[in-house]
Amino acid sequence: MSFEMDKFDYDLKSPVSTNYPDQYGEIDSLEYPNWRKFTDGFRRDPNAMAVPKGVIGVDGRVFDVEGAVDATMNSPLARSLKSRHLQMIAIGGSIGTGLFVSSGAALSTGGPASVVIAFSLIGIMLFCTVHALGEMAVLFPVAGSFSAYSTRFLDPAWGFAMGWNYAMQWLIALPLEITSACLVINFWDAGRINNDSWVIIFILIIAFINFIGVKGYGEAEFVFSIIKVMSVVGFIILGVILVVAGGPADAHYIGGKYWSNPGAFNNGFKGLCSVFVTAAFAFAGTELCGLAAAETANPRKSLPMAIKQVFWRITLFYVVSLALVGLLVPYNSPKLLGATDGTDTKASPFIIAMQQAGITVLPSVFNTIILIAVLSVGNSAVFGSSRTLAALAEQHQAPAFLAYIDRRGRPLVAICVSSAFGFLAFFAGSSKEHEAFKWMTALSGLSSIFTWGSICLAHIRFRKAWRVQGRTLEELPFRSHPGLIGSWIGFLFNALVLIAQLWTGIFPVGYQNYQSKGDLVAYFFSQYLAAPIMLACYIPYKFWFRTKVARAHEMDLKTGFRRLDLLELLREERKEQASWSRWKRWYKLFC
């Protein structure tokens, strides 16, 4: 086949497959009453063959990689997200309890230096990871990108385990965030209103946003992210003022006082290792911009810009803000004692910093922002889990009914299933509130580490297949800035975090004080539960379907490309880039 037949098409308005004609989803043009258009929007798209016949072999047990790849590539999800949506999802989409609340537990366990080191290292690893994801997602803007890339470039069995791992992470994140939202409300009403009342309200709000469709999700996240970004920037300005000049209660220079007394580290190296999972939990969701690529109008233009925003998110919103928190709040503060399980917003180090400075109004204002952030992550949880479930169904790795996509491009059944998991948050109104929070966190705690490690490994394998099959790096429309070395750094660092967490899970901080071996076992599974669940998904699927590890010369590097004279387009773009001044090149490197 000549190269001319292999050129890529990024014109997302033109479906590649003839299975999905142009008129799909265009029901507004029909001469029907508005109520009829509304009800018709929930019907299944007749052109959406999400689970085409023949994907599974004749014996029912042979996994057809080509069929799965074609199914995810031809997913009829609506492509309504614009560049501004994707950029705000990348820069602030998942800022929530991980940063605002759980960082208090990290500060209490490891000390301020451990928090800065752990979040910086996880940030470097994640910077490499999202660039690897961006390179693949621009080339293959497919539904359920993480599991789809693992299926295509690693092993269908690992893709199955990865997909369910990621879906489980977000399915559990929804009740987790709703529970956190109820605890945020307790900041004001002190539990006078039963939390179950708030659970219903929050579920309805989140479900309504997602039923509007991907454009509703994009607009909601755009607004939520702006609020969160402005609040973090405002805190950084306030924090610098407090460090230099103090607050109303104690107007004097603070500087690095708390790094000297009580100290920069707590619990030594083990304390540092214990902070890594909290950091991973805080960064979870950064990869959502890659998942949203399948529903973006022009991923080739929008996705690289969004990927570059991650640098600012890591540097400004996490490392700088938490460094200031470590200067303002000592790790042995009595108010941080409620942060041990990461559920109490009164133990948020951001709020404690304001209270210690004698500021009376801002804590309530910032608590409102935490509530918005929590609902934003809950919104992202429904988006992430529903799209992953739909993609798994399209690959015959989940029940087929989850692949139901209506005429407006919404994975309707998957959204309903994802929203239903929110009812687990009714534990927030029971005496088992903190126990439920702990085990839900255990289910989703390490999931991000497996996801990021798989993305890096898939990129490594993809690059090898790209080279073996005679492609050149000049043909890539977007190239990862850290490159292959960055993917190796990301993969190896994820492996080190898993090893460190295994060590701290078996021998936790202060394990000598545990009353019985049963308590130690319970603690281990509360920290490492995601690992046995991954193996429980991978091993049976591997043996039942007898899947094979993808080999470089056999990987499908054609399905999902869109036909366009890409080489000529890239030449024009690089000719324009060559004329940029030095400062503009540096600016475009990060923005």
Side-chain angles (χ1 to χ4, degrees):
M1 181 178 293
S2 68
F3 180 74
E4 291 297 320
M5 295 299 292
D6 254 353
K7 291 176 182 175
F8 317 145
D9 176 7
Y10 283 88
D11 182 7
L12 299 182
K13 295 180 181 178
S14 303
V16 175
S17 171
T18 56
N19 292 336
Y20 305 100
D22 289 327
Q23 68 268 23
Y24 122 78
E26 296 180 1
I27 63 172
D28 289 336
S29 60
L30 301 178
E31 295 298 328
Y32 289 144
N34 289 334
W35 67 267
R36 176 72 179 276
K37 293 179 182 178
F38 175 77
T39 56
D40 279 357
F42 290 93
R43 295 183 180 178
R44 187 164 195 158
D45 181 356
N47 301 312
M49 303 296 292
V51 188
K53 295 181 179 180
V55 171
I56 300 298
V58 292
D59 61 354
R61 293 178 59 185
V62 179
F63 187 87
D64 182 3
V65 178
E66 290 78 9
V69 168
D70 185 66
T72 53
M73 183 271 291
N74 288 322
S75 173
L77 292 170
R79 300 184 185 272
S80 304
L81 289 179
K82 298 178 181 177
S83 178
R84 62 183 178 88
H85 297 138
L86 210 59
Q87 288 190 55
M88 292 311 295
I89 290 171
I91 201 169
S94 63
I95 295 176
T97 51
L99 174 63
F100 291 137
V101 182
S102 298
S103 56
L107 180 61
S108 178
T109 302
S114 293
V115 169
V116 172
I117 292 171
F119 274 78
S120 298
L121 290 175
I122 291 287
I124 292 170
M125 177 268 292
L126 196 54
F127 180 78
C128 298
T129 301
V130 294
H131 272 265
L133 173 62
E135 183 177 301
M136 294 186 293
V138 170
L139 269 177
F140 308 101
V142 299
S145 56
F146 314 128
S147 60
Y149 298 150
S150 293
T151 296
R152 183 183 289 207
F153 302 128
L154 299 178
D155 182 350
W158 189 251
F160 171 80
M162 263 300 306
W164 278 106
N165 165 73
Y166 196 71
M168 183 64 67
Q169 172 187 339
W170 285 116
L171 288 171
I172 295 301
L174 177 60
L176 199 64
E177 296 299 326
I178 292 176
T179 302
S180 297
C182 294
L183 292 164
V184 171
I185 296 292
N186 289 343
F187 182 87
W188 294 294
D189 73 358
R192 288 189 295 270
I193 300 175
N194 190 287
N195 284 337
D196 290 346
S197 305
W198 298 112
V199 169
I200 291 290
I201 295 172
F202 294 144
I203 290 175
L204 289 176
I205 292 172
I206 292 170
F208 174 75
I209 291 172
N210 280 272
F211 276 121
I212 293 175
V214 68
K215 194 168 184 179
Y217 164 77
E219 293 294 347
E221 282 305 301
F222 182 76
V223 174
F224 290 155
S225 295
I226 288 176
I227 294 172
K228 290 187 285 186
V229 167
M230 290 176 63
S231 66
V232 174
V233 172
F235 176 83
I236 290 172
I237 295 172
L238 174 65
V240 171
I241 294 172
L242 293 178
V243 168
V244 173
D250 191 8
H252 71 279
Y253 175 75
I254 296 175
K257 178 176 71 172
Y258 296 131
W259 282 56
S260 301
N261 182 25
F265 292 93
N266 188 25
N267 298 310
F269 182 69
K270 188 174 287 186
L272 171 63
C273 292
S274 299
V275 174
F276 280 123
V277 172
T278 304
F281 178 72
F283 278 115
T286 306
E287 71 288 336
L288 275 173
C289 56
L291 190 69
E295 298 178 67
T296 303
N298 189 354
R300 184 180 172 276
K301 179 181 179 182
S302 305
L303 199 56
M305 295 173 65
I307 291 297
K308 293 174 184 178
Q309 302 296 333
V310 173
F311 170 81
W312 297 108
R313 174 180 173 179
I314 293 168
T315 304
L316 190 64
F317 302 141
Y318 286 88
V319 178
V320 174
S321 64
L322 289 174
L324 288 169
V325 162
L327 291 172
L328 293 169
V329 182
Y331 70 73
N332 62 352
S333 169
K335 294 181 180 180
L336 278 178
L337 293 177
T340 52
D341 60 0
T343 61
D344 190 354
T345 59
K346 295 176 184 177
S348 166
F350 291 82
I351 291 178
I352 292 172
M354 297 174 191
Q355 290 174 334
Q356 285 192 168
I359 301 173
T360 55
V361 178
L362 279 182
S364 288
V365 174
F366 208 84
N367 209 59
T368 305
I369 294 167
I370 293 177
L371 178 61
I372 293 172
V374 166
L375 293 178
S376 169
V377 177
N379 186 36
S380 296
V382 174
F383 174 82
S385 58
S386 62
R387 271 58 182 180
T388 304
L389 288 174
L392 286 169
E394 287 170 351
Q395 298 175 81
H396 268 263
Q397 294 176 334
F401 67 85
L402 292 172
Y404 182 100
I405 298 174
D406 68 12
R407 295 183 178 187
R408 295 192 183 276
R410 297 171 295 196
L412 208 58
V413 176
I415 290 175
C416 292
V417 171
S418 301
S419 300
F421 267 76
F423 289 102
L424 288 175
F426 277 115
F427 281 113
S430 71
S431 59
K432 301 292 185 181
E433 176 183 64
H434 293 280
E435 193 73 14
F437 191 99
K438 180 180 75 174
W439 286 105
M440 283 191 288
T441 305
L443 280 170
S444 60
L446 284 178
S447 296
S448 294
I449 301 297
F450 285 109
T451 299
W452 300 334
S454 297
I455 290 171
C456 292
L457 186 58
H459 181 247
I460 292 168
R461 296 293 299 153
F462 157 72
R463 276 289 189 95
K464 183 174 182 180
W466 192 259
R467 177 175 54 81
V468 168
Q469 296 187 26
R471 304 285 194 182
T472 64
L473 295 181
E474 285 68 30
E475 297 175 44
L476 295 173
F478 172 70
R479 200 183 310 171
S480 165
H481 290 314
L484 201 58
I485 294 175
S487 293
W488 275 111
I489 291 172
F491 175 71
L492 293 175
F493 193 79
N494 276 289
L496 289 175
V497 170
L498 288 175
I499 293 171
Q501 185 60 18
L502 178 64
W503 175 50
T504 57
I506 297 174
F507 304 104
V509 173
Y511 72 93
Q512 300 91 342
N513 300 325
Y514 281 75
Q515 296 180 352
S516 66
K517 290 184 178 179
D519 291 338
L520 282 171
V521 171
Y523 177 84
F524 171 78
F525 281 107
S526 72
Q527 299 296 306
Y528 220 73
L529 187 59
I533 290 177
M534 280 288 294
L535 293 176
C537 291
Y538 174 72
I539 295 173
Y541 195 94
K542 178 74 175 176
F543 284 100
W544 178 257
F545 287 100
R546 299 190 295 273
T547 61
K548 296 180 180 179
V549 175
R551 303 182 68 180
H553 68 279
E554 296 174 344
M555 291 180 192
D556 182 4
L557 298 179
K558 297 178 181 178
T559 306
F561 285 164
R562 302 181 183 272
R563 302 189 181 280
L564 183 70
D565 192 352
L566 182 65
L567 288 179
E568 184 61 32
L569 188 60
L570 289 175
R571 287 192 196 102
E572 292 178 4
E573 287 184 356
R574 286 164 185 163
K575 184 178 179 181
E576 179 187 356
Q577 292 170 5
S579 65
W580 290 349
S581 60
R582 181 172 297 180
W583 73 266
K584 190 173 183 179
R585 290 181 186 179
W586 276 101
Y587 173 78
K588 288 292 184 181
L589 182 64
F590 299 110
C591 297

